[in-house]
Amino acid sequence: MSGSSGTGQPEQAEDDKHVPPPTPGPARPPTRIEDYALIGDCHTAALVSRNGSIDWLCWPRFDSAACFAALVGTADNGYWRIAPADEPVRIRRQYRPGTMILETIFDTQNGSVALIDFMTAATGGSSLVRIVEGRSGTVPMRLDLALRFGYGSAIPWVTSLQHHTGFRAVVGPDVVVLHSGAKLRGEKLTTVSDFSVTPGQRVPFVLSHGQSHLADPPVPDADQALEEIDAGWTSWSSRCLYQGEWRDTVVRSLLTLKALNYHPTGGIVAAPTTSLPELPGGQRNWDYRYCWLRDATFTLLALMHGGYREEAQAWGAWLRRSVAGTPSQIQTLYGLAGERWLMEWEVPWLDGYGGARPVRIGNAASAQLQLDVYGELMDALYQELKLGLVRPNASWDIQRQLVGHLAQIWNEPDESIWEVRGGPRHFTFSKAMAWVAVDRAIRGAEEFKLPGKLDQWRKLRQEIHDSVCQNGFSPEKNSFVQYYGGSELDASLLLLPLVGFLPADDPRIVGTVAAIQKELMVDGLVMRYLTHESVDGLPPGEGVFLACSFWLADNLVLQGRKREARALFERLLGLANDVGLLAEEYDPRAERQLGNFPQAFSHLALVNTAMNLTNHGPAHKRGAK
């Protein structure tokens, strides 16, 4: 077993030498991003590959150090595989309807076997449950498990449980206990097991995490936990109010968003992974295991329109707690409980997914000035009022302070929605979202009879609007452009009619949509911008950005081009993997998903676009000037 010979003593040299961190093993072709599925317990999540290997898991939170990190390293950095001993002839998988319970079916020459994977949380710990169930024939199985804490760097001290049907592993603050339905043995600092299953036979494995200074974590009964988790997820998904033709797809996206929710605080992570590359083998690798203000309004509206008021309220409460304080210290992103210190560092011992280095932990964008987040924040706080989620004066003092601060800084250059690292500029979308922030303050004051400096705010709103239209629009291109005085396009400008900056039928918006369709589309899908001409300070090259493609569909709906919108939406749905999950980006040429996975922003955009098409209008259009 991991670090154990089965006698309670570590497998190390007789002179008791210190066991060093594992060194990278031989490179292996990476599992395709789309060949993973997600399981989670609303505290953390794991990625399970089609071949039955869990290659990514951070315990006890989404942003904790990984104990399985093969996803961005090698097998030496931690994984847990359960699969037939012989190569399967066919692999099928699906989520149980309305749940995040994954069933992988392996068909072999000897018979068929199911691997049922899910997670469950309880007071004192979190558990990863895997049940092997025989379906036909007698199928020999193989289990390989390597626990490696600290992002694949720390081998735990492991002791066997009685009769070799489990182990207890400790390293620093973490303890993990495995209870197994099959006998285990140790081989070269890993745990292995060879066993067989017959029709109807179920062999459970329960891996539970806790804190090493406390009593060992509770270990649930696998079958009872399966029944309870199935009922819980099914009950939750049945509350979805959307009854349109894409209901199954919308429910799957909402379930994914729920799985990315950190239940103790209400925060929703952008993705459960770090450093899955936006360019194969490249440097565009970021840690997305945090909560972005930019997602705020899209999240609130998707949850509310889906029928999930409680989750929307929890997200809004997280939002207000996180930004509480001095307006000048508003950040782009925060930790799961609103933490602000998210210092970025690189992990030198991890090879990266497919050799894409560096692997980054933390995110330096948390210290950037991104003016657009003021608009998203103010819009979300306004939508809370409109939707009746909070009392009118719940955050009004904060909002007034935010507008006062924004009045002082809106004309400064910033790093933009795309968090560029090539230096600040006067980005057009950033200025437009500053307009949104002031506009929503005015609307809040007018509609809910709240005190404010309305004359000053109206003057400021008009000043910002005039600035964007004069400096961010290119008559030569007949389009809004990425930054003042530039000629490059930017797909974020597709949001201008959605946030109400200008009507969708305004000639400048029509021209912008046409220009983006002409210059930023690859195989019918939308890129963020042309990276070889960009100001992001990184080597060129990335995939199309899926959320931007959904935004184009929203614009087509607003312009009455529903047939085109529907065709684009159906094309985007076809990019999801076999269990309905989307990453951040997609490579149309290689037909591969790219970037962190699954991506909340992509699934939020999917939900909102489905509702727009069903309602023949913008479900998330937030007012017009």
Side-chain angles (χ1 to χ4, degrees):
M1 291 175 286
S2 304
S4 170
S5 62
T7 63
Q9 298 299 316
E11 287 186 347
Q12 55 192 51
E14 289 80 357
D15 57 359
D16 200 29
K17 291 180 181 178
H18 171 67
V19 179
T23 55
R28 63 171 183 170
T31 299
R32 299 185 307 171
I33 290 172
E34 58 268 28
D35 283 343
Y36 284 100
L38 179 78
I39 57 173
D41 60 7
C42 297
H43 289 76
T44 188
L47 291 191
V48 188
S49 73
R50 283 180 58 85
N51 70 0
S53 182
I54 295 177
D55 292 341
W56 183 253
L57 172 62
C58 302
W59 252 338
R61 303 188 348 168
F62 291 102
D63 57 353
S64 298
C67 60
F68 297 139
L71 178 70
V72 288
T74 70
D76 294 317
N77 301 122
Y79 73 105
W80 183 12
R81 186 184 183 200
I82 302 177
D86 301 322
E87 191 69 24
V89 296
R90 184 172 65 152
I91 300 175
R92 299 165 285 148
R93 61 180 184 172
Q94 63 181 12
Y95 286 112
R96 287 192 175 185
T99 79
M100 293 301 295
I101 299 169
L102 180 69
E103 291 193 357
T104 305
I105 311 298
F106 298 99
D107 295 322
T108 75
Q109 298 289 352
N110 299 303
S112 180
V113 63
L115 177 62
I116 304 168
D117 289 321
F118 63 96
M119 295 189 71
T120 178
T123 303
S126 170
S127 295
L128 170 56
V129 182
R130 316 194 76 181
I131 301 173
V132 179
E133 181 180 82
R135 296 288 174 90
S136 67
T138 299
V139 182
M141 300 293 295
R142 170 79 176 190
L143 176 150
D144 294 276
L145 189 157
L147 273 173
R148 300 292 185 263
F149 291 85
Y151 296 107
S153 67
I155 301 172
W157 183 276
V158 176
T159 53
S160 294
L161 301 182
Q162 192 174 17
H163 305 304
H164 301 284
T165 57
F167 65 65
R168 183 177 187 269
V170 178
V171 61
D174 299 289
V175 61
V176 169
V177 178
L178 174 66
H179 282 251
S180 166
K183 285 192 175 183
L184 309 171
R185 67 183 187 274
E187 285 185 4
K188 299 179 181 179
L189 299 177
T190 66
T191 298
V192 301
S193 179
D194 296 293
F195 61 99
S196 296
V197 289
T198 56
Q201 183 182 5
R202 294 162 69 88
V203 182
F205 301 88
V206 182
L207 193 69
S208 302
H209 176 274
Q211 300 179 61
S212 60
H213 65 283
L214 301 176
D216 283 353
V219 178
D221 176 81
D223 288 331
Q224 181 180 347
L226 176 60
E227 183 178 336
E228 292 173 352
I229 293 300
D230 193 318
W233 281 117
T234 302
S235 174
W236 189 87
S237 61
S238 68
R239 291 162 40 200
C240 179
L241 295 179
Y242 176 78
Q243 299 296 330
E245 63 179 297
W246 300 289
R247 178 177 168 79
D248 289 347
T249 300
V250 168
V251 168
R252 176 52 52 197
S253 287
L254 289 168
L255 280 163
T256 303
L257 295 172
K258 176 64 173 177
L260 297 178
N261 167 257
Y262 183 63
H263 179 74
T265 66
I268 298 177
V269 296
T273 57
T274 181
S275 302
L276 291 182
E278 298 165 11
L279 174 69
Q283 301 175 26
R284 296 174 181 268
N285 317 318
W286 317 109
D287 192 349
Y288 274 17
R289 299 171 300 151
Y290 308 107
C291 308
W292 265 254
L293 296 190
R294 185 168 296 115
D295 300 351
T297 307
F298 288 106
T299 302
L300 279 171
L301 295 177
L303 291 171
M304 283 298 295
H305 292 145
Y308 296 101
R309 183 182 181 89
E310 180 180 341
E311 284 75 14
Q313 286 180 314
W315 169 246
W318 175 90
L319 191 69
R320 284 179 273 112
R321 291 193 307 270
S322 297
V323 303
T326 304
S328 62
Q329 295 181 331
I330 294 292
Q331 294 187 182
T332 305
L333 63 145
Y334 295 85
L336 303 179
E339 298 92 345
R340 300 189 176 205
W341 187 246
L342 306 176
M343 183 176 65
E344 184 177 299
W345 58 284
E346 298 177 2
V347 188
W349 61 84
L350 291 175
D351 288 350
Y353 175 87
R357 303 180 73 175
V359 174
R360 294 182 171 95
I361 306 299
N363 201 307
S366 61
Q368 289 184 341
L369 173 63
Q370 297 176 26
L371 292 171
D372 69 287
V373 300
Y374 286 87
E376 293 295 355
L377 174 57
M378 290 293 292
D379 196 5
L381 296 175
Y382 169 72
Q383 295 297 336
E384 279 193 304
L385 296 180
K386 290 282 288 184
L387 296 168
L389 297 177
V390 295
R391 65 184 189 279
N393 63 349
S395 59
W396 189 243
D397 289 341
I398 294 175
Q399 292 180 67
R400 288 192 297 172
Q401 291 291 324
L402 287 170
V403 174
H405 177 65
L406 188 59
Q408 304 299 315
I409 67 168
W410 75 269
N411 208 22
E412 294 181 9
D414 76 325
E415 278 84 6
S416 89
I417 181 176
W418 305 127
E419 303 174 352
V420 300
R421 301 197 175 195
R425 298 208 181 192
H426 291 282
F427 287 97
T428 302
F429 180 73
S430 296
K431 307 301 187 191
M433 291 306 292
W435 174 90
V436 169
V438 182
D439 178 75
R440 300 317 189 256
I442 294 169
R443 290 175 178 274
E446 291 175 340
E447 295 174 23
F448 298 97
K449 311 301 181 185
L450 296 168
K453 300 178 180 179
L454 284 174
D455 289 341
Q456 292 182 25
W457 293 352
R458 291 184 183 114
K459 181 179 178 181
L460 176 61
R461 178 174 66 177
Q462 191 62 51
E463 181 182 359
I464 298 174
H465 199 275
D466 291 344
S467 173
V468 172
C469 292
Q470 292 169 10
N471 301 306
F473 184 81
S474 167
E476 293 76 20
K477 287 262 188 183
N478 190 33
S479 172
F480 284 98
V481 290
Q482 186 176 49
Y483 56 88
Y484 284 10
S487 59
E488 295 88 348
L489 298 177
D490 191 314
S492 65
L493 300 169
L494 291 169
L495 290 172
L496 294 183
L498 305 184
V499 300
F501 184 82
L502 284 172
D505 58 358
D506 185 285
R508 291 164 293 185
I509 295 297
V510 173
T512 300
V513 171
I516 288 172
Q517 287 184 295
K518 179 181 179 181
E519 297 187 26
L520 291 188
M521 295 194 76
V522 176
D523 195 24
L525 302 168
V526 183
M527 296 183 293
R528 295 186 298 168
Y529 46 81
L530 297 177
T531 56
H532 65 276
E533 299 177 357
S534 77
V535 295
D536 63 18
L538 295 165
E542 66 173 11
V544 296
F545 200 84
L546 296 180
C548 295
S549 299
F550 284 111
W551 299 341
L552 175 59
D554 294 330
N555 274 262
L556 296 174
V557 172
L558 286 171
Q559 292 181 4
R561 301 158 64 182
K562 189 176 178 184
R563 180 176 298 178
E564 294 174 70
R566 183 187 180 91
L568 176 55
F569 182 68
E570 294 282 3
R571 169 80 192 286
L572 288 163
L573 297 188
L575 303 182
N577 72 356
D578 56 326
V579 289
L581 301 181
L582 290 168
E584 181 179 37
E585 297 187 5
Y586 181 76
D587 183 345
R589 297 181 179 89
E591 298 183 339
R592 293 279 306 274
Q593 295 204 34
L594 298 172
N596 284 304
F597 175 87
Q599 177 77 8
F601 214 30
S602 298
H603 286 280
L604 287 168
L606 184 157
V607 171
N608 286 323
T609 302
M611 293 181 178
N612 291 345
L613 280 164
T614 299
N615 299 328
H616 303 280
H620 64 278
K621 181 173 178 286
R622 280 110 72 174
K625 182 174 180 294

